[in-house]
Amino acid sequence: MMVQGVTAGILVVGIGGNNGVTLLAGQIANRDKLSWETGPGRVSANWFGCLTQIPPRGVHGGVGFQGRYEGLASADKAAIGGWDIRSTKLGQALYDCRVLEPDLVRQVREEMDGMDIMPGVWDPSFIGESQHETALNVVSGEDNSSTRCRLERIRRDIRMWKEKNN
């Protein structure tokens, strides 16, 4: 995800899974200050629950670290990317997981579908059998011939991603 004024980068292994796509959707919702319909009514994005992004509150400052520490990155300006062994577009993966409200999914889906997913390194002994059939976005050839080659590929992916997002 290209973001103006990037302050930090987050790379997620399995970005197309439930945790990865909800992280992305939450960041987009907060960055764009989105609101959406829910059963009880309309809600707006906020970083509640993310201690580094909410301001201190309570008599003695309580929880929340925003503004307390110089240099603490803004999640709104973080670049997010990652790997997945499935090639499912991220907006579609968000839709498929049925974790977030449909109105929010509708608002972020197109942007998420346009994001790149780096191919994952493939070691069938490490991946559950239920995922073998859908593992179509995998590193192949020399880059996947040994653990050392897989590690070098991941390092190269990280370097290239950092160059693209700085």
Side-chain angles (χ1 to χ4, degrees):
M1 166 189 289
M2 291 293 290
V3 177
Q4 296 287 23
V6 170
T7 60
I10 302 168
L11 284 170
V12 180
V13 175
I15 195 161
N18 293 3
N19 293 334
V21 295
T22 55
L23 167 72
L24 280 170
Q27 192 225 22
I28 294 168
N30 278 283
R31 182 196 70 208
D32 295 349
K33 298 176 178 31
L34 299 180
S35 61
W36 57 94
E37 293 298 327
T38 68
R42 193 155 191 83
V43 297
S44 297
N46 62 63
W47 284 111
F48 294 167
C50 186
L51 297 179
T52 64
Q53 301 303 303
I54 59 174
R57 45 181 74 200
V59 177
H60 302 289
V63 298
F65 295 102
Q66 183 187 54
R68 273 193 196 178
Y69 301 103
E70 188 176 327
L72 190 60
S74 167
D76 289 340
K77 295 182 179 179
I80 302 176
W83 301 266
D84 207 290
I85 60 173
R86 295 182 330 131
S87 58
T88 306
K89 292 182 179 291
L90 297 175
Q92 180 66 43
L94 177 66
Y95 175 81
D96 291 345
C97 78
R98 306 273 198 251
V99 172
L100 299 178
E101 294 288 343
D103 190 31
L104 174 58
V105 173
R106 178 188 57 75
Q107 294 179 65
V108 300
R109 187 173 180 176
E110 185 176 342
E111 180 177 346
M112 289 177 64
D113 276 343
M115 296 175 171
D116 294 330
I117 306 168
M118 292 184 279
V121 295
W122 175 246
D123 180 350
S125 66
F126 185 73
I127 306 295
E129 284 187 35
S130 66
Q131 295 187 45
H132 287 203
E133 199 174 295
T134 59
L136 303 173
N137 190 43
V138 297
V139 171
S140 60
E142 181 63 29
D143 283 347
N144 200 37
S145 62
S146 69
T147 301
R148 182 175 196 80
C149 290
R150 290 181 195 115
L151 182 58
E152 287 304 318
R153 171 59 186 258
I154 292 168
R155 288 177 175 153
R156 188 168 62 245
D157 286 349
I158 293 169
R159 284 191 301 272
M160 289 172 43
W161 187 83
K162 283 175 67 176
E163 285 177 21
K164 178 181 173 186
N165 288 283
N166 275 338

